[in-house]
Amino acid sequence: MISFRNFSLCLFLLICLISSNSDAYRILVIGPINSKSHSNIYESVAKALILKGHRVDVISHFELKNPPKNYTKVVNLDGSLKAMVNTWTLEIVESFRDIDLVPAMIEEFGNNLCDLMGLEKMQKFIKNPPRDPPYDLVIAEAFVANCYFGFGHLYKVPVVMLSALPQIVWFDDILGNPMSNAYTVHMETKDARIVTFWDRVTNHFWALYGNYRFYRSTEEYQTNAMRKYLSPDVPNVRELEKKTALLLVNAYQSFFGIRPLTPAVIPIAGIHVELSEAKLSPELKVWMDESTHGVVFFTLGSMVIIEDFPKEILLGLYGAFAKLAPIRVLMKIVNEEKLPPGLPKNVLTMSWIPQIPVLRHKNTKVFMTHGGLNSAQEGLYFAVPMIGFPLFGDQPLNIRLLADKNVAYEMDYRDITEKSVNNALRAVLYDPKYQEAAKRESQLFRDRPMNATDTAVFWIEYIIRNGANSLRSPSMDMPWWKAELVDVYLFFFISILLISYIIFLILMKISCLIRSILNPNSQNHRKKD
């Protein structure tokens, strides 16, 4: 027989178990872009939610290694788009380097992604979603394919936007966030400094023009796609954007500068670093540990293949790296056979390198990077000074911002020679300002009330508990001219003109009266005439 004491203990444990899961939610995370760097961000948010006991279903192009118990890949989009990992040649980079970003983003990562909802496996999921339990919230990647916000309408739950990039200009309009074009540099502007009057004119013009083109190019197509693939009663995509509850953005004030944010904009930069489970292989760990003179880590991220660069650029790197010995170089090369002969003996190449544990290692002294946002944040997080070779997209802005803080040495990859790389390496390795700046900015980047992981989870749970409108700005229900007080300023201007005119008339009357009093003869003379 079970004693009363044992029965009570079992009952207590059962109650604790039930109560511990009573606040667990089921959340759908949608990542339609087949970019590994974007995937790292929404997978990190999914991990953060799972660690808090929530159940997460994911639609994406990538498989999570060692997925946790509450993680379910409900739709695998792998193979539905042209692969981007380790496929970008120098020719592709050059074609993206000087293009107009907004149309390019819409063409590559916008309207076309909405058609993924028409895939058979997506339609099967859309028509037969899980109902035991149903979803409490949808997290959809926010970039230029905002058609995926329609899943919130379909399942009657709040939508949280998740941006793997810094805050793009149309997010401000969507969330009613205060405009800060006078001092906040936008990726579309392709500059990192606002100093002169014309800088402000240019920055503001491209922000407004970018908004206009985004709205004009996406509204009809994405609205029609949602009504075709999700439900005929889905509202206009512009209405759905205004109904979103929150934006989690891969940015932080110490990196991108101070700007006003509504409570619905939550910076979570660094979350992928905090939740990374990547480890050094035993062989790489031994090599890193033995590199007591220091390691220079060189990679251009998950997309671009370095070995496709011109031979003269690669030989310039060879010459500079050889002069570094006994300092070692760790270099990501997908296909070593494509490299020209003569690779220096102090260089180790690998087709895949776990960036975070390498940057965390005490012997890593310099990070040579393309300046992708995740890579830049990783170098910043671990206080590793950088040499930046920005290629396209947001990378020039990221590197310029870090260079202005003396965390990075900025170079143009087209100017790579043995001499230029050697000068850059000597500057970053031996000028103390780079190491000091990296330590200072790393401290600023990490110093927060809550880490990025807890911040993301708290505000997602907050929306589920309190509703989609709990952080809604009143300006979201106002036309732009009201929110920006254009009518008020116009009223002030007209009032000042009217008051000035009335004062002018009064002064003219007074002036005439004074002249008539002081010179009455002139008045009499006029009468005689």
Side-chain angles (χ1 to χ4, degrees), residues 49-338:
L49 291 166
I50 290 168
L51 288 173
K52 295 294 184 179
H54 303 300
R55 185 173 176 180
V56 179
D57 294 348
V58 176
I59 299 173
S60 78
H61 298 264
F62 299 94
E63 292 289 347
L64 185 65
K65 293 183 179 179
N66 304 316
K69 182 180 178 181
N70 286 352
Y71 180 100
T72 304
K73 189 72 167 290
V74 290
V75 180
N76 186 356
L77 296 175
D78 184 30
S80 58
L81 295 175
K82 184 178 179 181
M84 294 175 64
V85 176
N86 294 328
T87 60
W88 280 43
T89 63
L90 182 61
E91 182 181 358
I92 298 175
V93 169
E94 290 285 357
S95 68
F96 270 81
R97 184 174 176 88
D98 297 315
I99 60 172
D100 195 350
L101 282 177
V102 175
M105 290 189 296
I106 293 170
E107 181 180 351
E108 293 293 326
F109 309 111
N111 296 341
N112 59 321
L113 298 187
C114 298
D115 291 322
L116 294 178
M117 294 187 292
L119 295 174
E120 183 180 350
K121 49 192 170 183
M122 282 287 281
Q123 282 296 299
K124 184 178 178 180
F125 173 78
I126 289 168
K127 294 174 181 176
N128 298 282
R131 293 184 173 88
D132 186 25
Y135 290 120
D136 298 290
L137 181 126
V138 169
I139 299 176
E141 186 165 3
F143 190 31
V144 284
N146 294 349
C147 49
Y148 286 89
F149 299 168
F151 278 82
H153 172 83
L154 190 66
Y155 301 144
K156 310 304 179 188
V157 294
V159 173
V160 168
M161 299 185 288
L162 174 58
S163 173
L165 291 171
Q167 197 165 335
I168 300 175
V169 289
W170 45 83
F171 293 158
D172 286 341
D173 189 52
I174 289 172
L175 291 167
N177 200 62
M179 183 177 62
S180 54
N181 297 334
Y183 50 87
T184 299
V185 178
H186 298 294
M187 181 175 67
E188 299 85 343
T189 308
K190 298 183 180 180
D191 200 351
R193 301 181 182 96
I194 300 178
V195 179
T196 67
F197 168 77
W198 286 112
D199 290 339
R200 287 184 287 124
V201 170
T202 302
N203 194 57
H204 189 52
F205 169 79
W206 283 109
L208 296 179
Y209 190 40
N211 265 352
Y212 166 74
R213 288 184 296 174
F214 167 73
Y215 289 137
R216 184 175 62 87
S217 302
T218 60
E219 182 170 359
E220 182 179 0
Y221 192 99
Q222 298 194 16
T223 298
N224 290 338
M226 290 188 297
R227 291 172 179 170
K228 178 180 179 181
Y229 300 126
L230 295 178
S231 174
D233 67 345
V234 176
N236 186 287
V237 68
R238 301 286 88 92
E239 293 181 43
L240 290 180
E241 289 168 347
K242 294 292 185 181
K243 292 180 179 179
T244 55
L246 188 71
L247 170 66
L248 302 174
V249 61
N250 189 22
Y252 191 63
Q253 63 198 33
S254 69
F255 192 154
F256 289 98
I258 304 297
R259 59 172 302 181
L261 299 175
T262 71
V265 179
I266 307 298
I268 59 166
I271 189 171
H272 75 288
V273 182
E274 296 172 359
L275 293 170
S276 173
E277 299 174 355
K279 296 180 180 179
L280 297 173
S281 65
E283 297 79 12
L284 182 55
K285 185 178 186 308
V286 170
W287 188 88
M288 292 291 298
D289 291 343
E290 291 177 348
S291 303
T292 54
H293 292 281
V295 172
V296 173
F297 178 34
F298 185 14
T299 175
L300 296 183
S302 62
M303 295 169 61
V304 179
I305 46 179
I306 302 173
E307 56 268 35
D308 184 68
F309 278 46
K311 183 178 180 180
E312 56 271 20
I313 288 182
L314 295 173
L315 292 179
L317 292 171
Y318 283 11
F321 291 161
K323 289 182 179 179
L324 280 178
I327 295 174
R328 290 175 166 182
V329 178
L330 179 62
M331 194 173 181
K332 183 204 166 193
I333 299 293
V334 177
N335 188 351
E336 189 176 345
E337 294 179 357
K338 290 187 176 182

Side-chain angles (χ1 to χ4, degrees), residues 40-55:
N40 288 339
I41 300 304
Y42 62 75
E43 284 182 354
S44 296
V45 171
K47 287 181 188 176
L49 291 166
I50 290 168
L51 288 173
K52 295 294 184 179
H54 303 300
R55 185 173 176 180

